[in-house]
Amino acid sequence: MKLWIVAILVAIVCLGVYGPKKNAEFVLDDYYTVVRNPLIKNPFLYKNIWTSRLFDAHQSSGYIKFGYYRPVLQSSFILDYHLFGLKAAGYQWINLLIHIFNSVLIYILLWQLFGQGPLALKASLLFCVFPTQEWVVPM
């Protein structure tokens, strides 16, 4: 199968499963990691992303003591915030595009490793519709 056909198929499946809603809202821990997170809004605090845990940004999240160190995730939130402000649909579109790209990379990797296009396609579609972490594509 041609790579561009696989990319279109993966994109259609991902969009069908996770298509962002126009009136999307932030939910649950999004309030601590995005809405109330001064680290993604203030350029003077960007350097702190690399030395703090995910939920350390806001005092009201003091009861959450998870040791999640996610500087790349928070860096992507900086980009999202500057592109979309606090419009959740924009964050979902960016995450969906990243997820589609990663699904296509799974196909390429497995096809290169095993030389079996059908197996690589099935694995990339499985990855596309069944993320193992909720961070992959917010609902």
Side-chain angles (χ1 to χ4, degrees), residues 63-78:
Y63 71 94
I64 301 174
K65 295 297 181 193
F66 301 121
Y68 292 147
Y69 178 68
R70 304 283 192 269
V72 175
L73 175 67
Q74 291 194 81
S75 297
S76 75
F77 288 159
I78 290 171

Side-chain angles (χ1 to χ4, degrees), residues 4 8 11 14 29 37-38 41 47 76 80 91 93 96 109-110 117 125 131 134 137:
W4 65 270
I8 290 172
C14 285
D29 61 351
N37 188 350
K41 299 173 184 176
K47 65 182 184 304
S76 75
D80 292 338
Y91 290 73
W93 275 109
L96 183 59
L109 175 68
L110 294 177
L125 289 174
E134 74 278 1
V137 181

Side-chain angles (χ1 to χ4, degrees), residues 54-67:
L54 184 60
F55 293 102
D56 287 349
H58 196 270
Q59 291 178 353
S60 63
S61 68
Y63 71 94
I64 301 174
K65 295 297 181 193
F66 301 121

Side-chain angles (χ1 to χ4, degrees), residues 36-57:
R36 297 179 186 161
N37 188 350
L39 297 181
I40 68 169
K41 299 173 184 176
N42 185 344
F44 295 109
L45 298 177
Y46 291 169
K47 65 182 184 304
N48 296 343
I49 286 175
W50 298 95
T51 59
S52 64
R53 297 176 303 179
L54 184 60
F55 293 102
D56 287 349

Side-chain angles (χ1 to χ4, degrees), residues 20-132:
K21 310 294 185 276
K22 192 175 193 176
N23 57 351
E25 297 179 8
F26 293 106
V27 296
L28 303 173
D29 61 351
D30 294 339
Y31 290 103
Y32 300 110
T33 58
V34 177
V35 177
R36 297 179 186 161
N37 188 350
L39 297 181
I40 68 169
K41 299 173 184 176
N42 185 344
F44 295 109
L45 298 177
Y46 291 169
K47 65 182 184 304
N48 296 343
I49 286 175
W50 298 95
T51 59
S52 64
R53 297 176 303 179
L54 184 60
F55 293 102
D56 287 349
H58 196 270
Q59 291 178 353
S60 63
S61 68
Y63 71 94
I64 301 174
K65 295 297 181 193
F66 301 121
Y68 292 147
Y69 178 68
R70 304 283 192 269
V72 175
L73 175 67
Q74 291 194 81
S75 297
S76 75
F77 288 159
I78 290 171
L79 176 64
D80 292 338
Y81 180 75
H82 286 288
L83 289 174
F84 307 109
L86 291 176
K87 295 179 182 140
Y91 290 73
Q92 289 181 339
W93 275 109
I94 294 295
N95 284 343
L96 183 59
L97 292 174
I98 292 169
H99 189 58
I100 291 169
F101 180 72
N102 287 333
S103 297
V104 172
L105 287 179
I106 294 280
Y107 172 80
I108 293 169
L109 175 68
L110 294 177
W111 182 63
Q112 292 291 322
L113 286 174
F114 302 111
Q116 295 186 15
L119 174 67
L121 179 61
K122 289 174 188 174
S124 69
L125 289 174
L126 183 62
F127 178 81
C128 178
V129 300
F130 189 67
T132 58

